[in-house]
Every structure is written in C-alpha cells, then in structure tokens.
Amino acid sequence: MTKGTVLVTGGVGYIGSHTTVELIQQNYEVIIVDNLSTSQKEILEGIKKITGKKPVFYKVDLKNYNEVKNLLKKHKIDSIIHFAAYKAVGESVEKPLKYYENNILSLINTLKIAEEYKINNFIFSSSCTVYGQPKKLPVTEKTPVIKPNSPYGNTKKIAEEILQDTTEPNKNLNVVSLRYFNPIGAHPSHLIGELPIGVPNNLVPFITQTAYGIRPQLKVFGNDYSTPDGTPIRDYIDIIDLAEAHIKALEYLTTSKNKKNFEVFNIGAGKGYSVLEIIKTFEQVTGQKLNYTFAPRRPGDIEQIWADATKANTVLKWKTKRTPAHSLKTAWEWEKHYRTQIVKKSI
Ligand code: UFG
C-alpha cells in the first residue's frame, strides 16, 4: 500500500536521487520536478534499475510558477521535499544574483505550490553552513546562526527565515529543515551517485576523479589550520544515511509528531575527519594511491565543524549507520561504474 505521494524537487540531483530511491523502497509515490541544470537524466535510469520503478518526472524550472502549478494539477500530493538549489559556494561569490534568484525564487514557488494544493508536510534541504565557523564544537541546533560566508550559504539562512515566517500565519503547514553536514558516498548498487558537472568543487568527487585519472592531482587546500594534522575537519555523512533522515523526517511530519510547525535538525554523524584522514581512508579501502599536493587555503573555508546530532537521534529516531570508509568505497565503485558503463569515456 502506498504511504502517499511526495513531490521531490531536484530529485535527479545527488541527495534528491538517493532520497527518491529510499522513498520508492518505502512505498511512497514520487513525483520529481527538476530542470536538469546541474543533474543528468541517466540518474533516472539508475533509480529505475534499483527500484524497478521510474518516478514521474517533469523537466521544468521551479522559477516558472505557473508551469509547475499546471503540471501538478493532476496529482494529489501529500508532502514536499525541496532539494532543488544551486550549491557551488565559489560560483555563488562570483554570481550572487544567480544564486539568490534561483534558490530563493524556487523556494517561494514551491511554498506557493504547497499553499495552492494544501500540501502540509514540507522538508527543506538546509546546510551546516548557517553556523559559519562556530566558537564551540560540536554544534547543536541552539548554536547561533550567523551570516554565512557565501551567497550560497546565505540563501540557506534566508530560506529558513522564509520558511519560519510562512509557518507563522499558516498553522497547517509543517516544516522540517534538515541542516546537512558533508554528504559523501553513493548507493551500494553503484547505479547512482554524485555526478558533478565539470570540475568538482567537493572533496570526494575530486578524489575519485583523480584516482580514475581524470584529474591529474588533488590539491589539499591548506595544511596550516589549527587542527591535529593541519587540514580542515568536517563531519562526513553517508548519502544513504542522509536519505534515510528524510524518510524519518517525513514520518515525523505525516504522523504529526512535531510540536512546533517549524523545526530544524542537524543531520551529521557527530564525528569530524580531516582532509588527510579522508585521503588515507580512501587509499586504504580502495587500494588506490592518490596523487595530492598541498595548496593554499581555499577562500571562505572554515577550519572545523562537526555535528551534535542528538536531537535527530532522539526526536527523529535517526542515526548514521555507515562509516566514511564505507562511503569512500561506494563513491569509488560509482566512479568506476559511471566511467565504464554510463559515459564510456572520460570528460
Ligand atoms: N577540499 C580540498 N580539495 C578539494 C576540495 C575540497 O582540500 O579539491 C577540502 C576543503 O578545503 C574542505 C574539505 O575538503 O576542507 C571539504 O570540502 P568540500 O568542498 O567537499 O565541502 P565544504 O565543507 O566546503 O562544503 C560543504 C558543502 C556545501 C556546504 C558546506 C557547509 O559542499 O554545500 O559544506 O559547510 F555549504
């Protein structure tokens, strides 16, 4: 029996596609809206191969409210998970209006869809970037939110404010904002995974592409931080653990367990790893020797952050089950599968 229909915006993207798989496997119907601006349609094939079901898919831009509204007329949607957004930190510094226009307008239109069709369960993709460089670690949901370092990060902060304000007059609307730490890894089937377009900004796809020979060398941005080995520390969370957090958040909302109609949760593993530890773990689990060099710090990078995820552990009854070693292995298997089976050539 179906547990209901979920509109997944950005469902072809990295986190959206893995969450879609979990949703289908948990008997939810999924409708994906994605403009494919930073994702590729082959991922839909992967979702179908894993689940045996191809979700309903509309290639449409959320900035076009009327178009989206009309497409969704024929569906009865129970919940929304809103992933669709640009996320390249560096690009957002160069092109702030592109980020504000896309991320904020898409959110507003998705909220208008929720109001128009009386969809009362809403999950938002937020980020630990809203904490900036916290003074005290680990960060809890009570850690002050500050103005993030980049326009991208600021769109997440502003989005949470928009969501909170929208739930004030609309008491039927229930929102959970999930503040993700650093998602890594791929589906264990290796049929879907992270698929950056062009040169990856994030560490793990850069590592796997370097190991595969697509990039000549990984640059480790800074080894002079005040951390044990000098490289920055992040809370890396497996993509399937992250997808499962969405299922838990959805169950939480659909069974009306929430006490407030706007709630935030940290979604992290609760443990920090340095860049060098990630590189060493990758080498150990894959047997690949990684060519890397130290380079200057990347502007805007914070030194270290990891989560206190106690609230998600206790309230959502969600916990990470997978280690970075597992995630790095699946990321590598996905890279090989993608290169040999999907593109059959290097970019
Ligand atoms: N890094 C390298 N070399 C690379 C890429 C990354 O050394 O080629 C380092 C970074 O300097 C950083 C670490 O690897 O120390 C992780 O970098 P990522 O780009 O993978 O992740 P970030 O922590 O910078 O960013 C992530 C998300 C953002 C989000 C942010 C919140 O990608 O969307 O976390 O902190 F806003």
Side-chain angles (χ1 to χ4, degrees):
M1 238 237 330
T2 172
K3 288 189 187 160
T5 301
V6 185
L7 172 66
V8 178
T9 74
V12 191
Y14 177 41
I15 310 173
S17 58
H18 289 78
T19 302
T20 293
V21 164
E22 295 302 311
L23 286 167
I24 295 172
Q25 289 178 336
Q26 296 284 324
N27 291 325
Y28 290 94
E29 302 292 325
V30 176
I31 298 167
I32 293 179
V33 166
D34 197 309
N35 66 1
L36 299 180
S37 62
T38 54
S39 56
Q40 294 182 32
K41 233 181 150 180
E42 288 89 344
I43 293 292
L44 289 169
E45 287 304 317
I47 294 173
K48 188 175 168 212
K49 277 192 188 139
I50 298 169
T51 63
K53 251 179 124 171
K54 204 165 180 177
V56 176
F57 167 66
Y58 295 116
K59 181 177 184 297
V60 58
D61 194 316
L62 282 166
K63 293 198 287 303
N64 302 328
Y65 174 67
N66 285 328
E67 210 181 319
V68 181
K69 186 181 107 173
N70 291 334
L71 280 174
L72 297 178
K73 255 188 197 140
K74 54 177 183 279
H75 300 283
K76 163 85 189 72
I77 298 163
D78 303 293
S79 308
I80 297 177
I81 307 183
H82 179 53
F83 293 104
Y86 292 149
K87 60 157 200 165
V89 176
E91 188 193 40
S92 79
V93 176
E94 302 294 316
K95 298 174 183 165
L97 290 182
K98 178 176 168 178
Y99 276 68
Y100 286 116
E101 181 183 42
N102 185 66
N103 293 5
I104 302 300
L105 191 51
S106 297
L107 170 72
I108 291 171
N109 286 342
T110 309
L111 278 168
K112 280 167 69 181
I113 294 287
E115 289 199 339
E116 173 77 25
Y117 293 113
K118 302 198 170 37
I119 307 165
N120 292 327
N121 308 310
F122 196 106
I123 297 172
F124 177 67
S125 289
S126 189
S127 164
C128 67
T129 191
V130 298
Y131 299 119
Q133 175 59 68
K135 289 195 178 73
K136 211 172 139 241
L137 288 165
V139 285
T140 73
E141 291 78 0
K142 293 203 171 73
T143 298
V145 162
I146 60 164
K147 185 173 182 292
N149 266 345
S150 68
Y152 155 76
N154 208 28
T155 66
K156 294 295 177 190
K157 178 175 176 285
I158 294 168
E160 287 196 351
E161 290 165 359
I162 292 173
L163 286 161
Q164 185 156 25
D165 289 348
T166 310
T167 56
E168 284 295 329
N170 181 354
K171 293 295 176 209
N172 293 321
L173 180 66
N174 293 292
V175 176
V176 159
S177 182
L178 300 178
R179 292 177 177 163
Y180 313 148
F181 285 69
N182 287 54
I184 58 167
H187 193 272
S189 65
H190 317 134
L191 295 168
I192 59 170
E194 191 167 5
L195 196 48
I197 292 176
V199 183
N201 293 303
N202 296 114
L203 178 63
V204 171
F206 208 105
I207 288 178
T208 57
Q209 289 195 8
T210 306
Y212 200 82
I214 292 158
R215 310 282 157 211
Q217 191 176 46
L218 168 75
K219 287 191 176 71
V220 175
F221 298 133
N223 62 345
D224 56 352
Y225 287 95
S226 299
T227 58
D229 66 19
T231 64
I233 293 174
R234 297 287 183 274
D235 185 333
Y236 294 93
I237 165 175
D238 185 80
I239 189 69
I240 305 296
D241 282 329
L242 179 55
E244 287 173 359
H246 294 81
I247 306 289
K248 293 287 189 185
L250 192 58
E251 283 168 2
Y252 180 69
L253 289 180
T254 54
T255 55
S256 306
K257 295 234 167 48
N258 55 313
K259 297 208 172 55
K260 288 185 264 168
N261 63 342
F262 175 77
E263 285 198 48
V264 300
F265 292 93
N266 284 344
I267 302 296
K271 190 169 173 348
Y273 289 84
S274 72
V275 175
L276 281 181
E277 283 174 318
I278 291 293
I279 292 173
K280 285 199 187 97
T281 308
F282 177 82
E283 290 184 331
Q284 273 162 16
V285 296
T286 63
Q288 299 294 312
K289 185 98 194 78
L290 204 67
N291 181 9
Y292 69 87
T293 183
F294 293 113
R297 293 181 179 196
R298 184 170 68 176
D301 269 352
I302 59 160
E303 181 171 276
Q304 47 188 322
I305 188 164
W306 64 93
D308 178 333
T310 306
K311 187 180 175 197
N313 298 160
T314 53
V315 178
L316 295 182
K317 312 226 176 333
W318 167 87
K319 231 175 133 150
T320 50
K321 299 179 197 138
R322 298 155 183 94
T323 59
H326 167 87
S327 313
L328 290 164
K329 183 99 173 73
T330 56
W332 175 235
E333 294 302 329
W334 157 247
E335 183 73 53
K336 289 190 291 183
H337 173 83
Y338 178 68
R339 299 295 156 198
T340 53
Q341 306 298 316
I342 304 182
V343 276
K344 295 195 178 76
K345 60 178 171 43
S346 342
I347 46 174

